[in-house]
Amino acid sequence: MAKEQLEVLNALDVAKTQMYHFTAIVVAGMGFFTDAYDLFCISLVTKLLGRIYYHRDGATKPGTLPPNVSAAVNGVAFCGTLAGQLFFGWLGDKLGRKKVYGMTLMLMVLCSIASGLSFGHTPKGVMTTLCFFRFWLGFGIGGDYPLSATIMSEYANKKTRGAFIAAVFAMQGFGILCGGMVAIIISALFKAGYPAPAYQVNASASTVPEADLAWRLIVMFGALPAGLTYYWRMKMPETARYTALVAKNAKQAASDMSRVLQVEIEAEQEKVEKLAQEKGNDFGLFTIQFLRRHGLHLLGTTSTWFLLDIAFYSQNLFQKDIFSAIGWIPPPETMNAMEEVYKIARAQTLIALCSTVPGYWFTVVFIDKIGRFAIQLMGFFFMTTFMFALAIPYDHWTHKDNRIGFVIMYSLTFFFANFGPNATTFVVPAEIFPARLRSTCHGISAAAGKAGAMVGAFGFLYAAQSNDPKKTDAGYPPGIGVRKSLIVLGFINFFGMLFTLLVPESKGKSLEEMSKENEGEA
């Protein structure tokens, strides 16, 4: 049987949209801006790293990162992110959201700078230190996922909660866009300041020594936005739901929210203690009670995020390879090193501007109108449709006259990923689990997503290679080709649509109503 809602939580649920909501979006969102920048900026400089550290005299093509090195550089941050999501998600429920929030941000700032300072006299030394710091960078980024989502969900009112959580996640789009723009500016400046011939004209002179500084500046820029928001993160009070329902301190929760909402709120310590004693309100993660109430929900959030990230990250990290395959980016030997970075960044920025960023904000606008379930189902459906539309007539898209059509179709898959499951898989786990397990369950769901990202990052790198051994990149075994890889991604999106049926709709409901936190054993 449902119990009466605490006044402090009811005040949050019915609060009008105020300045503190927007402050929370910006403070939490800048973490996500940094997350996206740091995770995706590496794809802009991997070809440059190959030219600088793996150049071979007399080779007809510029140097490329060996398969194992490329997989490590692209994927090691995901390994760190997965570990960070599990660890900091658990810690956020144990120590509180606010305490852990500062730790993750400082880790991101320090490791962004350290990644750019990667030292060593040999290619192996530089790549090893880069991978080491990117692992710990990912570890900090991982903590940001469950904490940002949980903090925003626990601060928001129930009418616009979905839009607020989605707005935090939408900052990821601006992070991807900023990564491309920073790479464009830095590569343009270096290209103008240090002119160099194309690789096929003069191989050794095509990569100027100063290029080693360019990639480091691109990587280190990610520390700036995170550092600027540290002070504001530390000023945010702990969420009332954690303080009242987990820490059992109703007086502190009422005091914090009275200051934030600028209204008088009664503490109701007796009601908090009574709720704490209710049988059925204290089950842990590894219990039959949790399995009965939330087992299918957790399966739904983990499986859909896992499947989504296989497709999303393989597309995002290897845009440059697909653009090269259809001829949208010229062959690498016809460009110098900085020109190649410029062309890759320009293509990625265009995709982000036309599809990634608008997709996120369409979700923000519509999520509280049409609901999480409908957006996620629609997103997976259209991702499946457009992926097959790209893959089945793939030879048609490789012709020069059809490039624009390919880019439009490819952009639409990104648009519906972001106006779809890429946003909703982040929002829903922050709404449907009990407060004492909310950060942990979000961390588990997000970690499943990063496991999918690793499958996408490592798998697509090998799978997309040509099945003709003469046409593969140096050091790679023959794969199944881009066309068949896209077909596989189409089927993955289809399964995402099926698993969405396990995810409940949380539109317009309070967090306690969704998690059945105030229903005891009923």
Side-chain angles (χ1 to χ4, degrees):
M1 186 179 161
K3 304 292 186 294
E4 192 184 339
Q5 177 80 304
L6 288 171
E7 188 186 329
V8 66
L9 305 187
N10 190 56
L12 283 166
D13 280 342
V14 300
K16 290 178 181 175
T17 301
Q18 299 172 36
M19 185 51 72
Y20 86 91
H21 286 122
F22 295 107
T23 304
I25 288 169
V26 171
V27 173
M30 285 312 289
F32 261 84
F33 177 97
T34 307
D35 297 349
Y37 183 96
D38 288 334
L39 284 176
F40 293 114
C41 71
I42 198 68
S43 68
L44 298 166
V45 299
T46 46
K47 295 225 172 191
L48 179 59
L49 291 172
R51 283 186 183 243
I52 295 169
Y53 297 110
Y54 293 91
H55 169 74
R56 285 187 296 113
D57 290 329
T60 55
K61 289 184 178 181
T64 57
L65 296 179
N68 58 334
V69 176
S70 182
V73 168
N74 279 301
V76 72
F78 294 146
C79 300
T81 304
L82 189 154
Q85 284 162 337
L86 293 171
F87 176 72
F88 286 117
W90 167 78
L91 204 62
D93 284 332
K94 292 295 175 192
L95 301 183
R97 304 8 172 166
K98 182 186 172 181
K99 280 182 185 175
V100 183
Y101 217 24
M103 295 181 207
T104 63
L105 202 66
M106 284 314 298
L107 196 56
M108 284 155 60
V109 170
L110 293 172
C111 292
S112 281
I113 295 168
S115 296
L117 297 175
S118 296
F119 47 82
H121 299 295
T122 62
K124 187 178 179 181
V126 175
M127 292 301 127
T128 302
T129 50
L130 176 63
C131 288
F132 175 79
F133 289 122
R134 278 190 65 78
F135 174 86
W136 291 108
L137 173 66
F139 194 68
I141 288 170
D144 222 45
Y145 275 72
L147 293 167
S148 290
T150 302
I151 284 172
M152 198 65 244
S153 74
E154 293 181 346
Y155 262 112
N157 60 51
K158 63 183 178 183
K159 188 180 176 184
T160 56
R161 186 179 62 237
F164 288 156
I165 305 172
V168 169
F169 194 63
M171 295 298 284
Q172 193 177 67
F174 288 124
I176 294 169
L177 184 63
C178 181
M181 290 170 71
V182 168
I184 285 172
I185 292 166
I186 289 175
S187 60
L189 290 172
F190 275 75
K191 194 168 65 160
Y194 306 100
Y199 184 87
Q200 61 192 13
V201 176
N202 187 331
S204 57
S206 69
T207 306
V208 294
E210 291 79 10
D212 191 52
L213 176 62
W215 76 264
R216 295 174 187 274
L217 290 174
I218 292 168
V219 168
M220 282 196 284
F221 183 84
L224 192 61
L228 291 174
T229 53
Y230 182 77
Y231 170 74
W232 297 105
R233 272 201 184 187
M234 292 299 93
K235 281 193 74 178
M236 288 175 77
E238 181 58 86
T239 71
R241 284 183 159 90
Y242 182 85
T243 308
L245 299 175
V246 184
K248 315 293 185 206
N249 189 340
K251 188 177 178 184
Q252 186 65 51
S255 169
D256 288 342
M257 292 306 107
S258 294
R259 197 166 66 250
V260 167
L261 296 172
Q262 297 179 331
V263 292
E264 197 61 42
I265 298 173
E266 190 185 340
E268 301 182 299
Q269 184 64 37
E270 285 181 17
K271 198 185 283 187
V272 167
E273 287 168 4
K274 191 178 175 185
L275 270 174
Q277 289 163 8
E278 279 286 344
K279 199 174 178 192
N281 270 344
D282 56 354
F283 58 85
L285 183 66
F286 302 105
T287 60
I288 297 295
Q289 184 84 331
F290 178 86
L291 190 65
R292 195 165 66 241
R293 283 200 191 183
H294 300 292
L296 284 177
H297 295 163
L298 190 59
L299 176 62
T301 58
T302 51
S303 58
T304 51
W305 207 335
F306 173 77
L307 293 164
L308 175 273
D309 272 9
I310 293 175
F312 184 75
Y313 279 88
S314 61
Q315 279 177 264
N316 237 319
L317 283 170
F318 302 107
Q319 283 182 44
K320 60 188 185 302
D321 300 316
I322 290 171
F323 290 148
S324 297
I326 64 158
W328 207 40
I329 295 173
E333 59 271 19
T334 64
M335 300 178 283
N336 64 43
M338 297 318 302
E339 192 178 357
E340 186 175 35
V341 174
Y342 179 85
K343 292 271 173 72
I344 291 167
R346 189 179 64 177
Q348 196 151 313
T349 302
L350 190 63
I351 291 289
L353 198 59
C354 296
S355 61
T356 307
V357 172
Y360 282 118
W361 290 98
F362 263 70
T363 303
V364 174
V365 172
F366 290 107
I367 193 167
D368 287 312
K369 292 182 174 68
I370 62 177
R372 290 76 163 139
F373 180 82
I375 287 177
Q376 185 161 311
L377 203 64
M378 175 198 69
F380 269 127
F381 172 78
F382 281 112
M383 285 172 72
T384 306
T385 303
F386 287 119
M387 200 64 79
F388 283 134
L390 285 174
I392 294 166
Y394 181 71
D395 291 337
H396 166 81
W397 299 117
T398 59
H399 297 146
K400 193 172 182 179
D401 295 342
N402 302 323
R403 285 180 198 164
I404 300 300
F406 181 94
V407 172
I408 290 169
M409 298 281 278
Y410 192 67
S411 296
L412 283 168
T413 63
F414 272 106
F415 176 80
F416 283 105
N418 296 313
F419 181 31
N422 194 38
T424 53
T425 51
F426 176 80
V427 173
V428 174
E431 299 182 306
I432 63 176
F433 297 108
R436 66 186 177 281
L437 299 171
R438 187 169 291 133
S439 179
T440 302
C441 290
H442 195 286
I444 292 168
S445 303
K450 278 301 162 285
M454 285 190 277
V455 172
F458 296 127
F460 195 80
L461 188 66
Y462 287 89
Q465 295 295 322
S466 171
N467 52 12
D468 182 351
K470 294 176 184 174
K471 293 181 181 177
T472 60
D473 290 337
Y476 286 87
I480 59 174
V482 174
R483 179 177 179 271
K484 287 180 180 174
S485 298
L486 292 174
I487 289 173
V488 170
L489 294 181
F491 278 108
I492 286 167
N493 291 327
F494 175 74
F495 283 114
M497 194 164 53
L498 296 182
F499 277 100
T500 296
L501 300 174
L502 297 175
V503 179
E505 179 56 74
S506 48
K507 180 180 74 144
K509 297 177 181 176
S510 77
L511 297 179
E512 287 66 46
E513 192 181 348
M514 281 308 302
S515 64
K516 298 182 171 59
E517 206 158 355
N518 56 354
E519 292 187 9
E521 209 172 14

